Amino acid sequence: MAKETFYFSHDYNTREDEKIKELIYEHGMEGYGIYWSIIEMLYQNANALRTNYKRIAFELRTQEEKIISIINDFQLFHFYTDNFYSESVKRRLEERDEKSKKARDSAFSRWNKKQDNANALQKECERNAIKESKGKKKKVKESKDIPTQFDF
């Protein structure tokens, strides 16, 4: 069974961060890819992963030593008990939750306003309904001489 997929923001200039530059210097673009894979894992796990380096290395099909270095050597992650998390993921999750709460509150206030006219909602629905045409539909003859963008 597939997990739900969610979008998360990604700064377009992440490579310009000094910590990331050090990571790339030490581990190349492979290390950068591993870093983003770990970030994705954090998003999937409420921004907390156990410091089970061997398991993370297995999941990302890389060496445990690289995982240990990427997680520990560049001050990209923070630790508590036997878990680690990302401050940037934490901040983005808080921003997403705040936007979601505002949108939910806004929708709630719109739908719970007292209606002066009992038919107001019904009229709104009629405007959104698709009306069928009562007239005859014209048949359009397609020309086989005009190529489409996919014809070669």
Side-chain angles (χ1 to χ4, degrees), residues 18-52:
E18 288 302 316
K19 296 173 187 176
I20 296 295
K21 285 181 179 181
E22 285 296 319
L23 168 74
I24 294 170
Y25 177 76
E26 187 69 33
H27 295 287
M29 292 308 285
E30 178 186 5
Y32 187 61
I34 291 169
Y35 165 76
W36 280 109
S37 295
I38 292 170
I39 292 296
E40 290 172 359
M41 293 169 74
L42 286 167
Y43 271 101
Q44 291 171 336
N45 292 283
N47 195 26
L49 288 175
R50 286 188 41 232
T51 51
N52 186 341

PDB file of all heavy atoms in Angstrom, residues 18-52:
ATOM      1  N   GLU A  18      26.642  27.525   3.689  1.00  0.00           N
ATOM      2  CA  GLU A  18      28.011  27.098   4.014  1.00  0.00           C
ATOM      3  C   GLU A  18      28.078  25.653   4.518  1.00  0.00           C
ATOM      4  O   GLU A  18      29.021  24.926   4.205  1.00  0.00           O
ATOM      5  CB  GLU A  18      28.657  28.057   5.019  1.00  0.00           C
ATOM      6  CG  GLU A  18      29.028  29.394   4.425  1.00  0.00           C
ATOM      7  CD  GLU A  18      29.979  29.286   3.236  1.00  0.00           C
ATOM      8  OE1 GLU A  18      30.960  28.505   3.282  1.00  0.00           O
ATOM      9  OE2 GLU A  18      29.728  29.995   2.226  1.00  0.00           O
ATOM     10  N   LYS A  19      27.104  25.245   5.306  1.00  0.00           N
ATOM     11  CA  LYS A  19      27.093  23.870   5.812  1.00  0.00           C
ATOM     12  C   LYS A  19      26.922  22.881   4.663  1.00  0.00           C
ATOM     13  O   LYS A  19      27.571  21.827   4.633  1.00  0.00           O
ATOM     14  CB  LYS A  19      25.965  23.693   6.831  1.00  0.00           C
ATOM     15  CG  LYS A  19      26.132  24.522   8.079  1.00  0.00           C
ATOM     16  CD  LYS A  19      24.901  24.428   8.947  1.00  0.00           C
ATOM     17  CE  LYS A  19      24.967  25.363  10.123  1.00  0.00           C
ATOM     18  NZ  LYS A  19      23.732  25.334  10.914  1.00  0.00           N
ATOM     19  N   ILE A  20      26.068  23.224   3.709  1.00  0.00           N
ATOM     20  CA  ILE A  20      25.836  22.365   2.548  1.00  0.00           C
ATOM     21  C   ILE A  20      27.077  22.353   1.656  1.00  0.00           C
ATOM     22  O   ILE A  20      27.451  21.301   1.105  1.00  0.00           O
ATOM     23  CB  ILE A  20      24.574  22.815   1.770  1.00  0.00           C
ATOM     24  CG1 ILE A  20      23.321  22.663   2.632  1.00  0.00           C
ATOM     25  CG2 ILE A  20      24.434  22.050   0.466  1.00  0.00           C
ATOM     26  CD1 ILE A  20      22.953  21.238   3.009  1.00  0.00           C
ATOM     27  N   LYS A  21      27.744  23.509   1.507  1.00  0.00           N
ATOM     28  CA  LYS A  21      28.983  23.553   0.726  1.00  0.00           C
ATOM     29  C   LYS A  21      30.019  22.596   1.316  1.00  0.00           C
ATOM     30  O   LYS A  21      30.719  21.892   0.584  1.00  0.00           O
ATOM     31  CB  LYS A  21      29.540  24.967   0.677  1.00  0.00           C
ATOM     32  CG  LYS A  21      28.778  25.886  -0.255  1.00  0.00           C
ATOM     33  CD  LYS A  21      29.416  27.270  -0.265  1.00  0.00           C
ATOM     34  CE  LYS A  21      28.697  28.202  -1.211  1.00  0.00           C
ATOM     35  NZ  LYS A  21      29.330  29.537  -1.252  1.00  0.00           N
ATOM     36  N   GLU A  22      30.114  22.587   2.632  1.00  0.00           N
ATOM     37  CA  GLU A  22      31.052  21.667   3.298  1.00  0.00           C
ATOM     38  C   GLU A  22      30.655  20.212   3.053  1.00  0.00           C
ATOM     39  O   GLU A  22      31.506  19.360   2.799  1.00  0.00           O
ATOM     40  CB  GLU A  22      31.118  21.950   4.796  1.00  0.00           C
ATOM     41  CG  GLU A  22      31.906  23.179   5.150  1.00  0.00           C
ATOM     42  CD  GLU A  22      33.380  23.063   4.787  1.00  0.00           C
ATOM     43  OE1 GLU A  22      33.993  21.984   4.996  1.00  0.00           O
ATOM     44  OE2 GLU A  22      33.922  24.065   4.267  1.00  0.00           O
ATOM     45  N   LEU A  23      29.359  19.946   3.143  1.00  0.00           N
ATOM     46  CA  LEU A  23      28.849  18.600   2.879  1.00  0.00           C
ATOM     47  C   LEU A  23      29.223  18.164   1.463  1.00  0.00           C
ATOM     48  O   LEU A  23      29.727  17.051   1.261  1.00  0.00           O
ATOM     49  CB  LEU A  23      27.329  18.567   3.063  1.00  0.00           C
ATOM     50  CG  LEU A  23      26.608  17.330   2.549  1.00  0.00           C
ATOM     51  CD1 LEU A  23      26.862  16.144   3.466  1.00  0.00           C
ATOM     52  CD2 LEU A  23      25.127  17.590   2.425  1.00  0.00           C
ATOM     53  N   ILE A  24      28.985  19.015   0.477  1.00  0.00           N
ATOM     54  CA  ILE A  24      29.298  18.683  -0.919  1.00  0.00           C
ATOM     55  C   ILE A  24      30.811  18.533  -1.101  1.00  0.00           C
ATOM     56  O   ILE A  24      31.269  17.626  -1.807  1.00  0.00           O
ATOM     57  CB  ILE A  24      28.711  19.741  -1.877  1.00  0.00           C
ATOM     58  CG1 ILE A  24      27.177  19.690  -1.821  1.00  0.00           C
ATOM     59  CG2 ILE A  24      29.206  19.522  -3.305  1.00  0.00           C
ATOM     60  CD1 ILE A  24      26.482  20.840  -2.549  1.00  0.00           C
ATOM     61  N   TYR A  25      31.599  19.390  -0.458  1.00  0.00           N
ATOM     62  CA  TYR A  25      33.051  19.281  -0.541  1.00  0.00           C
ATOM     63  C   TYR A  25      33.521  17.918  -0.040  1.00  0.00           C
ATOM     64  O   TYR A  25      34.382  17.273  -0.636  1.00  0.00           O
ATOM     65  CB  TYR A  25      33.705  20.403   0.271  1.00  0.00           C
ATOM     66  CG  TYR A  25      35.206  20.338   0.295  1.00  0.00           C
ATOM     67  CD1 TYR A  25      35.956  20.729  -0.807  1.00  0.00           C
ATOM     68  CD2 TYR A  25      35.871  19.858   1.420  1.00  0.00           C
ATOM     69  CE1 TYR A  25      37.331  20.652  -0.789  1.00  0.00           C
ATOM     70  CE2 TYR A  25      37.252  19.772   1.447  1.00  0.00           C
ATOM     71  CZ  TYR A  25      37.983  20.170   0.343  1.00  0.00           C
ATOM     72  OH  TYR A  25      39.349  20.078   0.360  1.00  0.00           O
ATOM     73  N   GLU A  26      32.929  17.467   1.044  1.00  0.00           N
ATOM     74  CA  GLU A  26      33.343  16.206   1.670  1.00  0.00           C
ATOM     75  C   GLU A  26      32.782  14.975   0.959  1.00  0.00           C
ATOM     76  O   GLU A  26      33.479  13.981   0.789  1.00  0.00           O
ATOM     77  CB  GLU A  26      32.897  16.200   3.135  1.00  0.00           C
ATOM     78  CG  GLU A  26      33.391  15.032   3.947  1.00  0.00           C
ATOM     79  CD  GLU A  26      34.892  15.077   4.180  1.00  0.00           C
ATOM     80  OE1 GLU A  26      35.456  16.177   4.299  1.00  0.00           O
ATOM     81  OE2 GLU A  26      35.489  13.985   4.256  1.00  0.00           O
ATOM     82  N   HIS A  27      31.506  15.025   0.549  1.00  0.00           N
ATOM     83  CA  HIS A  27      30.844  13.824   0.028  1.00  0.00           C
ATOM     84  C   HIS A  27      30.348  13.952  -1.408  1.00  0.00           C
ATOM     85  O   HIS A  27      29.705  13.031  -1.922  1.00  0.00           O
ATOM     86  CB  HIS A  27      29.656  13.454   0.929  1.00  0.00           C
ATOM     87  CG  HIS A  27      30.067  13.052   2.296  1.00  0.00           C
ATOM     88  ND1 HIS A  27      30.681  11.858   2.585  1.00  0.00           N
ATOM     89  CD2 HIS A  27      29.972  13.716   3.481  1.00  0.00           C
ATOM     90  CE1 HIS A  27      30.934  11.788   3.874  1.00  0.00           C
ATOM     91  NE2 HIS A  27      30.524  12.907   4.444  1.00  0.00           N
ATOM     92  N   GLY A  28      30.583  15.099  -2.040  1.00  0.00           N
ATOM     93  CA  GLY A  28      30.157  15.292  -3.419  1.00  0.00           C
ATOM     94  C   GLY A  28      28.635  15.392  -3.513  1.00  0.00           C
ATOM     95  O   GLY A  28      27.925  15.501  -2.510  1.00  0.00           O
ATOM     96  N   MET A  29      28.159  15.349  -4.752  1.00  0.00           N
ATOM     97  CA  MET A  29      26.721  15.460  -4.970  1.00  0.00           C
ATOM     98  C   MET A  29      25.979  14.232  -4.437  1.00  0.00           C
ATOM     99  O   MET A  29      24.795  14.310  -4.137  1.00  0.00           O
ATOM    100  CB  MET A  29      26.418  15.690  -6.449  1.00  0.00           C
ATOM    101  CG  MET A  29      26.881  17.060  -6.941  1.00  0.00           C
ATOM    102  SD  MET A  29      26.296  18.449  -5.939  1.00  0.00           S
ATOM    103  CE  MET A  29      24.594  18.540  -6.455  1.00  0.00           C
ATOM    104  N   GLU A  30      26.674  13.129  -4.276  1.00  0.00           N
ATOM    105  CA  GLU A  30      26.051  11.958  -3.648  1.00  0.00           C
ATOM    106  C   GLU A  30      25.634  12.301  -2.218  1.00  0.00           C
ATOM    107  O   GLU A  30      24.527  11.982  -1.782  1.00  0.00           O
ATOM    108  CB  GLU A  30      27.001  10.764  -3.638  1.00  0.00           C
ATOM    109  CG  GLU A  30      26.406   9.552  -2.963  1.00  0.00           C
ATOM    110  CD  GLU A  30      27.381   8.395  -2.799  1.00  0.00           C
ATOM    111  OE1 GLU A  30      28.569   8.553  -3.133  1.00  0.00           O
ATOM    112  OE2 GLU A  30      26.943   7.336  -2.316  1.00  0.00           O
ATOM    113  N   GLY A  31      26.509  12.986  -1.504  1.00  0.00           N
ATOM    114  CA  GLY A  31      26.183  13.405  -0.138  1.00  0.00           C
ATOM    115  C   GLY A  31      25.011  14.365  -0.102  1.00  0.00           C
ATOM    116  O   GLY A  31      24.169  14.291   0.790  1.00  0.00           O
ATOM    117  N   TYR A  32      24.951  15.245  -1.098  1.00  0.00           N
ATOM    118  CA  TYR A  32      23.842  16.189  -1.205  1.00  0.00           C
ATOM    119  C   TYR A  32      22.533  15.439  -1.439  1.00  0.00           C
ATOM    120  O   TYR A  32      21.512  15.742  -0.822  1.00  0.00           O
ATOM    121  CB  TYR A  32      24.135  17.163  -2.346  1.00  0.00           C
ATOM    122  CG  TYR A  32      23.179  18.314  -2.486  1.00  0.00           C
ATOM    123  CD1 TYR A  32      23.013  19.241  -1.470  1.00  0.00           C
ATOM    124  CD2 TYR A  32      22.479  18.500  -3.666  1.00  0.00           C
ATOM    125  CE1 TYR A  32      22.154  20.326  -1.620  1.00  0.00           C
ATOM    126  CE2 TYR A  32      21.616  19.579  -3.834  1.00  0.00           C
ATOM    127  CZ  TYR A  32      21.463  20.488  -2.805  1.00  0.00           C
ATOM    128  OH  TYR A  32      20.611  21.552  -2.968  1.00  0.00           O
ATOM    129  N   GLY A  33      22.581  14.438  -2.295  1.00  0.00           N
ATOM    130  CA  GLY A  33      21.390  13.615  -2.531  1.00  0.00           C
ATOM    131  C   GLY A  33      20.978  12.839  -1.293  1.00  0.00           C
ATOM    132  O   GLY A  33      19.782  12.720  -0.986  1.00  0.00           O
ATOM    133  N   ILE A  34      21.951  12.332  -0.571  1.00  0.00           N
ATOM    134  CA  ILE A  34      21.657  11.607   0.669  1.00  0.00           C
ATOM    135  C   ILE A  34      21.027  12.562   1.685  1.00  0.00           C
ATOM    136  O   ILE A  34      20.054  12.214   2.360  1.00  0.00           O
ATOM    137  CB  ILE A  34      22.926  10.944   1.234  1.00  0.00           C
ATOM    138  CG1 ILE A  34      23.366   9.796   0.313  1.00  0.00           C
ATOM    139  CG2 ILE A  34      22.706  10.448   2.663  1.00  0.00           C
ATOM    140  CD1 ILE A  34      24.751   9.239   0.627  1.00  0.00           C
ATOM    141  N   TYR A  35      21.563  13.784   1.767  1.00  0.00           N
ATOM    142  CA  TYR A  35      20.998  14.784   2.679  1.00  0.00           C
ATOM    143  C   TYR A  35      19.519  14.999   2.368  1.00  0.00           C
ATOM    144  O   TYR A  35      18.679  14.961   3.273  1.00  0.00           O
ATOM    145  CB  TYR A  35      21.775  16.104   2.566  1.00  0.00           C
ATOM    146  CG  TYR A  35      21.055  17.271   3.184  1.00  0.00           C
ATOM    147  CD1 TYR A  35      21.014  17.431   4.564  1.00  0.00           C
ATOM    148  CD2 TYR A  35      20.382  18.202   2.384  1.00  0.00           C
ATOM    149  CE1 TYR A  35      20.331  18.499   5.140  1.00  0.00           C
ATOM    150  CE2 TYR A  35      19.706  19.270   2.954  1.00  0.00           C
ATOM    151  CZ  TYR A  35      19.680  19.415   4.326  1.00  0.00           C
ATOM    152  OH  TYR A  35      18.990  20.462   4.896  1.00  0.00           O
ATOM    153  N   TRP A  36      19.178  15.226   1.086  1.00  0.00           N
ATOM    154  CA  TRP A  36      17.780  15.467   0.738  1.00  0.00           C
ATOM    155  C   TRP A  36      16.921  14.231   0.950  1.00  0.00           C
ATOM    156  O   TRP A  36      15.744  14.336   1.292  1.00  0.00           O
ATOM    157  CB  TRP A  36      17.649  16.016  -0.685  1.00  0.00           C
ATOM    158  CG  TRP A  36      17.948  17.482  -0.698  1.00  0.00           C
ATOM    159  CD1 TRP A  36      19.040  18.099  -1.223  1.00  0.00           C
ATOM    160  CD2 TRP A  36      17.162  18.510  -0.075  1.00  0.00           C
ATOM    161  NE1 TRP A  36      18.976  19.451  -0.982  1.00  0.00           N
ATOM    162  CE2 TRP A  36      17.829  19.737  -0.283  1.00  0.00           C
ATOM    163  CE3 TRP A  36      15.968  18.521   0.620  1.00  0.00           C
ATOM    164  CZ2 TRP A  36      17.339  20.955   0.184  1.00  0.00           C
ATOM    165  CZ3 TRP A  36      15.468  19.735   1.085  1.00  0.00           C
ATOM    166  CH2 TRP A  36      16.148  20.924   0.876  1.00  0.00           C
ATOM    167  N   SER A  37      17.491  13.060   0.790  1.00  0.00           N
ATOM    168  CA  SER A  37      16.740  11.836   1.083  1.00  0.00           C
ATOM    169  C   SER A  37      16.415  11.757   2.578  1.00  0.00           C
ATOM    170  O   SER A  37      15.310  11.362   2.957  1.00  0.00           O
ATOM    171  CB  SER A  37      17.528  10.599   0.651  1.00  0.00           C
ATOM    172  OG  SER A  37      17.676  10.586  -0.750  1.00  0.00           O
ATOM    173  N   ILE A  38      17.368  12.138   3.400  1.00  0.00           N
ATOM    174  CA  ILE A  38      17.128  12.168   4.857  1.00  0.00           C
ATOM    175  C   ILE A  38      16.060  13.200   5.187  1.00  0.00           C
ATOM    176  O   ILE A  38      15.168  12.937   6.011  1.00  0.00           O
ATOM    177  CB  ILE A  38      18.445  12.429   5.619  1.00  0.00           C
ATOM    178  CG1 ILE A  38      19.382  11.228   5.469  1.00  0.00           C
ATOM    179  CG2 ILE A  38      18.169  12.727   7.097  1.00  0.00           C
ATOM    180  CD1 ILE A  38      20.803  11.470   5.971  1.00  0.00           C
ATOM    181  N   ILE A  39      16.104  14.364   4.541  1.00  0.00           N
ATOM    182  CA  ILE A  39      15.066  15.393   4.758  1.00  0.00           C
ATOM    183  C   ILE A  39      13.696  14.825   4.401  1.00  0.00           C
ATOM    184  O   ILE A  39      12.719  15.006   5.140  1.00  0.00           O
ATOM    185  CB  ILE A  39      15.372  16.673   3.945  1.00  0.00           C
ATOM    186  CG1 ILE A  39      16.622  17.373   4.480  1.00  0.00           C
ATOM    187  CG2 ILE A  39      14.171  17.619   3.934  1.00  0.00           C
ATOM    188  CD1 ILE A  39      16.512  17.911   5.897  1.00  0.00           C
ATOM    189  N   GLU A  40      13.603  14.121   3.267  1.00  0.00           N
ATOM    190  CA  GLU A  40      12.327  13.502   2.880  1.00  0.00           C
ATOM    191  C   GLU A  40      11.871  12.507   3.939  1.00  0.00           C
ATOM    192  O   GLU A  40      10.684  12.457   4.285  1.00  0.00           O
ATOM    193  CB  GLU A  40      12.472  12.792   1.530  1.00  0.00           C
ATOM    194  CG  GLU A  40      12.626  13.738   0.364  1.00  0.00           C
ATOM    195  CD  GLU A  40      12.966  13.023  -0.937  1.00  0.00           C
ATOM    196  OE1 GLU A  40      13.101  11.769  -0.938  1.00  0.00           O
ATOM    197  OE2 GLU A  40      13.098  13.717  -1.961  1.00  0.00           O
ATOM    198  N   MET A  41      12.805  11.722   4.472  1.00  0.00           N
ATOM    199  CA  MET A  41      12.457  10.757   5.521  1.00  0.00           C
ATOM    200  C   MET A  41      11.939  11.478   6.769  1.00  0.00           C
ATOM    201  O   MET A  41      10.995  11.013   7.411  1.00  0.00           O
ATOM    202  CB  MET A  41      13.671   9.892   5.864  1.00  0.00           C
ATOM    203  CG  MET A  41      14.094   8.962   4.735  1.00  0.00           C
ATOM    204  SD  MET A  41      15.701   8.180   5.034  1.00  0.00           S
ATOM    205  CE  MET A  41      15.256   6.992   6.297  1.00  0.00           C
ATOM    206  N   LEU A  42      12.559  12.611   7.096  1.00  0.00           N
ATOM    207  CA  LEU A  42      12.101  13.379   8.253  1.00  0.00           C
ATOM    208  C   LEU A  42      10.679  13.882   8.042  1.00  0.00           C
ATOM    209  O   LEU A  42       9.854  13.807   8.956  1.00  0.00           O
ATOM    210  CB  LEU A  42      13.058  14.545   8.538  1.00  0.00           C
ATOM    211  CG  LEU A  42      14.395  14.151   9.167  1.00  0.00           C
ATOM    212  CD1 LEU A  42      15.375  15.313   9.117  1.00  0.00           C
ATOM    213  CD2 LEU A  42      14.200  13.657  10.588  1.00  0.00           C
ATOM    214  N   TYR A  43      10.377  14.384   6.858  1.00  0.00           N
ATOM    215  CA  TYR A  43       9.009  14.828   6.570  1.00  0.00           C
ATOM    216  C   TYR A  43       8.018  13.674   6.707  1.00  0.00           C
ATOM    217  O   TYR A  43       6.908  13.855   7.189  1.00  0.00           O
ATOM    218  CB  TYR A  43       8.911  15.425   5.162  1.00  0.00           C
ATOM    219  CG  TYR A  43       9.186  16.900   5.109  1.00  0.00           C
ATOM    220  CD1 TYR A  43      10.416  17.381   4.689  1.00  0.00           C
ATOM    221  CD2 TYR A  43       8.217  17.824   5.472  1.00  0.00           C
ATOM    222  CE1 TYR A  43      10.668  18.742   4.624  1.00  0.00           C
ATOM    223  CE2 TYR A  43       8.461  19.184   5.417  1.00  0.00           C
ATOM    224  CZ  TYR A  43       9.687  19.638   4.996  1.00  0.00           C
ATOM    225  OH  TYR A  43       9.930  20.981   4.956  1.00  0.00           O
ATOM    226  N   GLN A  44       8.420  12.499   6.292  1.00  0.00           N
ATOM    227  CA  GLN A  44       7.528  11.337   6.367  1.00  0.00           C
ATOM    228  C   GLN A  44       7.345  10.846   7.791  1.00  0.00           C
ATOM    229  O   GLN A  44       6.428  10.079   8.064  1.00  0.00           O
ATOM    230  CB  GLN A  44       8.075  10.189   5.518  1.00  0.00           C
ATOM    231  CG  GLN A  44       8.021  10.464   4.035  1.00  0.00           C
ATOM    232  CD  GLN A  44       8.763   9.403   3.231  1.00  0.00           C
ATOM    233  OE1 GLN A  44       9.656   8.724   3.729  1.00  0.00           O
ATOM    234  NE2 GLN A  44       8.396   9.274   1.979  1.00  0.00           N
ATOM    235  N   ASN A  45       8.214  11.262   8.686  1.00  0.00           N
ATOM    236  CA  ASN A  45       8.188  10.751  10.059  1.00  0.00           C
ATOM    237  C   ASN A  45       8.080  11.855  11.100  1.00  0.00           C
ATOM    238  O   ASN A  45       8.706  11.778  12.158  1.00  0.00           O
ATOM    239  CB  ASN A  45       9.449   9.901  10.296  1.00  0.00           C
ATOM    240  CG  ASN A  45       9.430   8.642   9.483  1.00  0.00           C
ATOM    241  OD1 ASN A  45       8.747   7.694   9.823  1.00  0.00           O
ATOM    242  ND2 ASN A  45      10.162   8.643   8.375  1.00  0.00           N
ATOM    243  N   ALA A  46       7.281  12.863  10.804  1.00  0.00           N
ATOM    244  CA  ALA A  46       7.003  13.955  11.751  1.00  0.00           C
ATOM    245  C   ALA A  46       8.280  14.607  12.274  1.00  0.00           C
ATOM    246  O   ALA A  46       8.375  14.990  13.434  1.00  0.00           O
ATOM    247  CB  ALA A  46       6.133  13.460  12.904  1.00  0.00           C
ATOM    248  N   ASN A  47       9.297  14.716  11.411  1.00  0.00           N
ATOM    249  CA  ASN A  47      10.563  15.384  11.712  1.00  0.00           C
ATOM    250  C   ASN A  47      11.320  14.741  12.866  1.00  0.00           C
ATOM    251  O   ASN A  47      11.944  15.421  13.687  1.00  0.00           O
ATOM    252  CB  ASN A  47      10.345  16.877  11.981  1.00  0.00           C
ATOM    253  CG  ASN A  47      11.648  17.656  11.930  1.00  0.00           C
ATOM    254  OD1 ASN A  47      12.597  17.260  11.265  1.00  0.00           O
ATOM    255  ND2 ASN A  47      11.691  18.772  12.628  1.00  0.00           N
ATOM    256  N   ALA A  48      11.294  13.423  12.916  1.00  0.00           N
ATOM    257  CA  ALA A  48      12.077  12.713  13.930  1.00  0.00           C
ATOM    258  C   ALA A  48      12.471  11.347  13.394  1.00  0.00           C
ATOM    259  O   ALA A  48      11.623  10.587  12.934  1.00  0.00           O
ATOM    260  CB  ALA A  48      11.276  12.551  15.215  1.00  0.00           C
ATOM    261  N   LEU A  49      13.762  11.081  13.429  1.00  0.00           N
ATOM    262  CA  LEU A  49      14.266   9.759  13.058  1.00  0.00           C
ATOM    263  C   LEU A  49      15.190   9.257  14.156  1.00  0.00           C
ATOM    264  O   LEU A  49      15.929  10.038  14.760  1.00  0.00           O
ATOM    265  CB  LEU A  49      15.065   9.823  11.747  1.00  0.00           C
ATOM    266  CG  LEU A  49      14.288  10.036  10.464  1.00  0.00           C
ATOM    267  CD1 LEU A  49      15.253  10.200   9.290  1.00  0.00           C
ATOM    268  CD2 LEU A  49      13.345   8.867  10.206  1.00  0.00           C
ATOM    269  N   ARG A  50      15.132   7.963  14.379  1.00  0.00           N
ATOM    270  CA  ARG A  50      16.078   7.359  15.323  1.00  0.00           C
ATOM    271  C   ARG A  50      17.465   7.399  14.705  1.00  0.00           C
ATOM    272  O   ARG A  50      17.620   7.287  13.494  1.00  0.00           O
ATOM    273  CB  ARG A  50      15.682   5.911  15.625  1.00  0.00           C
ATOM    274  CG  ARG A  50      14.474   5.835  16.543  1.00  0.00           C
ATOM    275  CD  ARG A  50      14.142   4.432  17.029  1.00  0.00           C
ATOM    276  NE  ARG A  50      15.301   3.656  17.387  1.00  0.00           N
ATOM    277  CZ  ARG A  50      15.543   2.429  16.901  1.00  0.00           C
ATOM    278  NH1 ARG A  50      14.720   1.860  16.068  1.00  0.00           N
ATOM    279  NH2 ARG A  50      16.621   1.772  17.278  1.00  0.00           N
ATOM    280  N   THR A  51      18.470   7.535  15.526  1.00  0.00           N
ATOM    281  CA  THR A  51      19.845   7.552  15.031  1.00  0.00           C
ATOM    282  C   THR A  51      20.333   6.126  14.774  1.00  0.00           C
ATOM    283  O   THR A  51      21.399   5.730  15.212  1.00  0.00           O
ATOM    284  CB  THR A  51      20.794   8.277  16.015  1.00  0.00           C
ATOM    285  OG1 THR A  51      20.596   7.725  17.305  1.00  0.00           O
ATOM    286  CG2 THR A  51      20.545   9.758  16.019  1.00  0.00           C
ATOM    287  N   ASN A  52      19.534   5.396  14.027  1.00  0.00           N
ATOM    288  CA  ASN A  52      19.884   4.044  13.609  1.00  0.00           C
ATOM    289  C   ASN A  52      20.566   4.159  12.244  1.00  0.00           C
ATOM    290  O   ASN A  52      19.939   3.990  11.203  1.00  0.00           O
ATOM    291  CB  ASN A  52      18.621   3.184  13.534  1.00  0.00           C
ATOM    292  CG  ASN A  52      18.919   1.741  13.250  1.00  0.00           C
ATOM    293  OD1 ASN A  52      20.002   1.393  12.775  1.00  0.00           O
ATOM    294  ND2 ASN A  52      17.949   0.885  13.527  1.00  0.00           N
TER     295      ASN A  52
END
